[in-house]
């Protein structure tokens, strides 16, 4: 198990070939670093001393060559170190992550997601990087130290012994300081992990924080962690800096001895000047490998401490084997379940299940009902091997659940939780998640992912078909995407207006370049197209120099500024004293956030003429006018004369921009596809004039009818399958997430199905739909265990088990239990009385 491996394991498991290459490169590099010292001596004594220019050039050239080779080899050493370190880091992350995924649920009830993230992203880094340095750094620097020291002894043994005599003192003092640093580092790792957990907890529960306005509480808790970490990091860094200062101090004392003794020997003729220069260079270069060794020592201590703490935290054994033994395939169950004397006790001796007994034949359906906290979900999760029961027996087709592998259960069981998890990615990826998990690791011939027809069938069954169709209709096609699809959509657009134009005239205002569009803004009426460049979007037109120049040329700028002024005055008179609620501003071109700005503007400009207004004031009024949409902002009207001027300006603008900036906008032409808009917008080719559900239904039915005619319905649904659902499925409603989870398990077609209040977020109609599906399509095909919260849905189950305080109080068919007038009878009639 990965948590049992010492840090040295990762060093040994790294590439031996690369390590050998690294040692060879290090040896050559050391020679290349020592060689220039001898050249310095020869340059001073022979070239300069004997005044030989040819020797000066030769020795300087050799010196330069050695320096260049050493630099290149240093780069190679660093590159190999980096590769080894990052390769190990990747392995460590993958294997630790794989281990974490197998840990029991009890571990995750104690561990926070923030701590797990911090461990995998941050805490493993130092261990991984250490592996890259583990051989190269100590070998390189020790050999370099020995090489420089040996050269110093070669030049003058006495001076070398005196200069190097300081280092043993450092070796004695530094480890003592490092032990204190290690203790502080352990505390730093622990508090950092707690801090990460706290952050993860707060972010996960942000809805509670904001709902209770508990900012001060969370800030106080967070502040306490930060203050503790602040103090610990101060101590830790003080020890680390102390070690560095001590190293620098001893290194700085060396030259004093060198100059004192070396100078005395040189003055007395016992040490030539070239040797003194070379000795001084060797001593200065001695500091670099020593410093790197001390830095490596600190890195090693920090990484070892962090690695030990990390592995201790995750040193938990998986409760069940993941895969079956090599000599057998995963079991294929029919779905019989036999439970005898089942009990489940958690920490503190609390019994959540007590002597539970039940039998289910293959294909039978069982409803678990009872009081809150009665153990219904716990029982379901023990059967699903999500909890490890502490007593009794759970047999599936005669096989003990506690002895089965995870693969055995996955092959035969589908689980839908009350709050199903939806992964970030596409709708299709989430729908096929369970099926893809079964195929992972198998040969291609052994299985396949569901077909589009199978996926469509299951989303129709759970009531998601219209939702996925809408995702597809709201998709934006890339400019180079499927010319045939674009052609079909344009044909549907034409048929939509031909066959349903008159019928839907009250609900859709179709684009017509000869008419003013009341449900489009003034800006949209002028440009009559969808922008392909940001500067031509509606909100940026008021600052667009090209567009402003056009307005001047078309003599539209002053009338539009006047319109903006009139609109601001009218809407401020109506809205100025109303509460700042979005409801009151739905039919206004002025938003809640802009109200104060326009109030101040109208008060400031008073009765000033347009040419007297500042450019900023003109821009604000122009922006308001361009935003004005008569069909929506019904509290004001657009003068007929200005309406006609805008319509004339449309043709001038279209001609001008096509010449000056071709491609800046995609104009609304019946024969052209608008790639910047959705498929639905392209089919409608206009603006809806009503948001009433009946209007939307009639439009949708008309579009579906045309999609079927063009054999394009499944194609649009397939596009909808690529809809990105967001983190935790936050772009889906609660009901859509539950339907998707149910569809996911239905697509898997398992012989055993466990549903833990799987329809709690659904409306009555959707819940009835799923229940009917379970009672028809799945009855007799899958053994169903369903934790039920609504008693009016349990009549069709083969058996009903009523639980309380971890025990099954009574079990039988719905009619049998009602006839007994026992606990279920009281629950049902109590629920009716409460209703």
């Amino acid at each position: 198990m990965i948590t049992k491996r010492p840090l040295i394991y990762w060093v040994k498991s790294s590439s031996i070939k690369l390590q050998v290459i690294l040692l060879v490169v290090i040896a050559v590099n050391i020679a290349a670093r020592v060689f220039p010292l001898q050249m310095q001596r020869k340059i001073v004594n022979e070239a300069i001393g004997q005044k030989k220019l040819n020797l000066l050039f030769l020795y300087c050239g050799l010196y330069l060559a050695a320096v260049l080779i050493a630099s290149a080899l240093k780069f190679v050493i660093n590159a190999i170190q980096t590769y080894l370190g990052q390769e190990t880091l990747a392995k460590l992350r993958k294997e630790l992550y794989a281990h974490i995924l197998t840990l029991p649920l009890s571990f995750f009830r104690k561990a926070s997601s923030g701590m797990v993230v911090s461990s995998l992203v941050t805490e493993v880094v130092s261990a991984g990087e250490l592996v890259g340095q583990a051989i190269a750094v100590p070998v390189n620097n020790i050999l370099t130290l020995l090489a420089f020291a040996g050269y110093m002894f070669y030049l003058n043994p006495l001076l070398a012994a005196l200069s190097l005599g300081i280092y043993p003192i450092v070796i004695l003092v530094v480890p003592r300081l490092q032990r204190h640093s290690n203790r502080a580092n352990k505390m730093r790792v622990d508090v950092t992990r707690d801090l990460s957990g706290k952050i993860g907890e707060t972010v996960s529960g942000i809805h509670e924080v904001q709902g209770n306005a508990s900012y001060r509480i969370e800030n106080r808790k967070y502040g306490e962690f930060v203050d503790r970490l602040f103090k610990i990091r101060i101590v830790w860094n003080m020890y680390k800096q102390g070690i560095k200062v001590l190293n620098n101090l001893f290194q700085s004392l060396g030259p004093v001895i060198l100059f004192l003794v070396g100078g005395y020997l040189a003055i007395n003729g016992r040490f030539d000047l070239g040797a003194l220069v070379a000795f001084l260079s060797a001593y200065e270069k001695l500091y670099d490998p020593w410093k790197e060794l001390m830095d490596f020592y600190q890195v090693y201590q920090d990484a070892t401490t962090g690695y030990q703490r990390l592995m201790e935290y995750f040193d938990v054994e998986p409760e069940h084997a993941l895969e079956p033994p090599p000599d057998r395939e995963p079991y294929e169950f029919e779905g019989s379940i036999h439970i005898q004397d089942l009990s489940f006790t958690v920490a503190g001796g609390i019994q959540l299940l007590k002597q539970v007994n039940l039998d289910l034949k293959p294909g039978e359906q069982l409803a678990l009902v009872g009081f809150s906290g009665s153990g219904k979900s716990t029982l379901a999760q023990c059967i699903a091997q999500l909890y490890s029961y502490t007593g009794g027996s759970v047999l599936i087709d005669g096989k003990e659940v506690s002895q089965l592998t995870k693969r055995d259960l996955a092959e035969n069981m589908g689980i839908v939780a009350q709050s199903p998890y939806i992964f970030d990615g596409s709708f299709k990826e989430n729908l096929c998640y369970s099926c893809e998990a079964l195929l992972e690791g198998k040969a291609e011939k052994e299985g396949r992912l569901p077909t589009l027809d199978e996926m469509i069938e299951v989303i129709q069954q759970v009531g998601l078909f219209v939702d996925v169709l809408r995702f597809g209709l709201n998709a934006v096609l890339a400019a180079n995407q499927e010319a045939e699809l674009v052609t079909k959509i344009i044909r549907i657009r034409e048929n939509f207006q031909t066959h349903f134009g008159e019928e839907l005239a009250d609900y859709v205002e179709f684009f017509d370049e000869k008419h003013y569009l009341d449900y489009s803004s003034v800006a949209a009426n002028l440009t009559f197209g969808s922008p392909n460049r940001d500067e031509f979007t509606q909100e940026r037109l008021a600052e667009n120099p090209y567009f402003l120049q056009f307005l001047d040329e078309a003599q539209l700028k002053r009338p539009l500024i006047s319109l903006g002024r009139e609109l601001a005055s009218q809407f401020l008179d109506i809205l100025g004293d109303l509460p700042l609620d979005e409801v009151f501003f739905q039919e206004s071109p002025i938003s809640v956030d802009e109200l104060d700005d326009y109030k101040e503007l109208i008060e400031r400009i008073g009765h000033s003429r347009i040419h007297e207004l500042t450019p900023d004031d003109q821009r604000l009024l122009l922006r308001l006018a361009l935003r004005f949409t008569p069909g929506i902002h019904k509290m004001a009207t657009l003068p007929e004369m200005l309406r006609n001027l805008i319509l004339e300006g449309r043709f001038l603008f279209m001609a001008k921009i096509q010449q000056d900036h071709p491609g800046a906008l995609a104009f609304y032409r019946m024969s052209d596809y608008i790639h910047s808009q959705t498929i639905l917008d392209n089919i409608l080719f206009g603006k809806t004039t009503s948001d009433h559900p009946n209007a939307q239904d009639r439009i949708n039915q008309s579009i579906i009818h045309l999609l079927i005619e063009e054999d394009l319905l499944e194609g649009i649904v397939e596009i909808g399958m690529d809809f990105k659902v967001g983190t935790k499925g936050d772009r889906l409603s609660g009901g859509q997430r539950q339907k998707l989870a149910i569809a996911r398990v239905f697509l898997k077609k398992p012989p055993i199905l466990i549903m833990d209040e799987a329809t709690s977020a659904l409306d009555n109609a959707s819940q009835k739909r799923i229940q009917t599906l379970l009672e028809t399509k799945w009855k007799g095909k899958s053994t169903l265990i369903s934790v039920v919260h609504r008693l009016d849905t349990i009549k069709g189950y083969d058996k009903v088990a009523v639980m309380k305080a971890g025990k099954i109080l009574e079990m039988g068919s719905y009619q049998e239990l009602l006839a007994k007038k026992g606990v279920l009878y009281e629950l049902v009639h109590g629920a009716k009385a409460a209703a």
Side-chain angles (χ1 to χ4, degrees), residues 448-516:
R448 58 170 180 79
L449 283 175
T451 63
L452 178 62
D453 288 341
E454 289 171 331
M455 288 187 275
I456 289 176
E457 180 185 5
V458 79
I459 63 174
Q460 283 177 326
Q461 290 172 354
V462 301
L464 274 175
F465 181 81
V466 174
D467 300 89
V468 179
L469 177 63
R470 187 174 68 252
F471 298 154
L473 288 171
N474 286 328
V476 176
L477 298 180
N480 57 350
Q481 188 171 351
E482 299 188 41
E484 184 181 350
L485 176 61
V486 166
T487 302
K488 285 187 176 182
I489 292 172
I490 292 174
R491 190 158 58 239
I492 290 172
R493 171 200 295 170
E494 295 168 350
N495 292 335
F496 183 67
Q497 291 199 22
T498 301
H499 299 315
F500 300 102
E502 290 185 13
E503 179 185 338
L504 299 175
D506 293 336
Y507 305 134
V508 181
E509 182 182 57
F510 296 105
F511 293 140
D512 185 345
E513 66 179 17
K514 297 178 182 178
H515 293 88
Y516 191 92

Side-chain angles (χ1 to χ4, degrees), residues 591-652:
S591 68
V592 175
D593 298 333
E594 297 172 328
L595 185 63
D596 291 338
D597 293 337
Y598 279 102
K599 274 185 180 179
E600 182 185 344
L601 172 63
I602 294 302
E603 291 174 2
R604 184 172 64 251
I605 64 177
H607 297 287
S608 302
R609 298 182 181 277
I610 290 177
H611 69 274
E612 296 174 337
L613 303 181
T614 66
D616 286 341
D617 290 344
Q618 290 185 13
R619 192 175 297 113
L620 275 172
L621 295 175
L622 180 60
R623 183 183 293 124
L624 187 62
L626 292 172
R627 193 187 296 164
F628 179 55
T629 306
I632 297 174
H633 308 139
K634 297 177 181 178
M635 290 183 283
T637 57
L638 182 67
E640 191 65 28
M641 184 179 70
L642 182 54
R643 182 186 292 255
N644 293 330
L645 286 174
I646 292 170
L647 197 55
E648 290 179 12
R650 173 190 296 174
F651 295 100
L652 291 173

